[in-house]
Amino acid sequence: MVTNTSGKKKTAIARATVREGEGRVRINSQPVELVEPEMARLKMLEPFRIAGEDLRSQVDIDVSISGGGFAGQADAARTAIARGLVQYLNDAELRDAYMEFDRSLLVNDVRQSEPKKWGGPGARARYQKSYR
């Protein structure tokens, strides 16, 4: 059985494919062990730490990520992987364990940065005004 899932964070979108295998996790066609910085790698592998490392040896996961920065991409990949594992295993206990640990493992973070508007350097800040 093969399952396709996705995860989003800010402007990063991750699509994960989970299939039967021997524990290979690939991010954009590269082994997850090559992902830098280390914090992003640890974030991406978080679903396996909660589910148990023995689960990793049963599946192969291919993740393709586009958009965003490294932190947003790591969060998007983490959501896609967790959703993929829950869908692949069809395990309600695993789903509950993920929800108890952190809801964003299964639910996308819908927050987006606000667009910049005229009259200032950012979305809400205005340019300073001088009277003298």
Side-chain angles (χ1 to χ4, degrees):
M1 187 175 114
V2 176
T3 57
N4 292 308
T5 53
S6 67
K8 288 182 179 181
K9 171 75 181 203
K10 294 188 179 178
T11 57
I13 300 172
R15 293 174 184 85
T17 305
V18 182
R19 58 173 59 90
E20 198 175 328
E22 57 263 4
R24 278 195 295 264
V25 179
R26 298 175 85 68
I27 309 291
N28 289 340
S29 302
Q30 284 193 323
V32 72
E33 288 75 28
L34 300 179
V35 171
E36 287 295 327
E38 188 185 359
M39 286 308 296
R41 181 181 336 121
L42 293 173
K43 193 130 209 164
M44 288 177 187
L45 294 175
E46 217 167 47
F48 293 113
R49 279 203 296 288
I50 298 162
E53 288 295 330
D54 56 319
L55 175 70
R56 184 174 171 179
S57 59
Q58 300 171 20
V59 294
D60 281 352
I61 300 180
D62 290 316
V63 184
S64 64
I65 314 174
S66 61
F70 71 88
Q73 286 189 351
D75 277 334
R78 166 183 187 245
T79 300
I81 290 170
R83 278 182 174 178
L85 289 172
V86 168
Q87 197 172 329
Y88 179 82
L89 298 169
N90 205 9
D91 187 356
E93 278 184 33
L94 181 61
R95 186 179 179 283
D96 293 341
Y98 283 156
M99 279 301 232
E100 193 176 312
F101 179 76
D102 185 2
R103 187 168 187 267
S104 69
L105 275 165
L106 298 175
V107 181
N108 287 330
D109 192 344
V110 296
R111 294 175 297 174
Q112 291 282 331
S113 67
E114 196 173 339
K116 180 195 177 301
K117 288 141 197 119
W118 54 272
R124 297 288 174 104
R126 300 294 100 193
Y127 294 126
Q128 284 192 348
K129 174 172 152 187
S130 165
Y131 287 102
R132 262 171 229 91

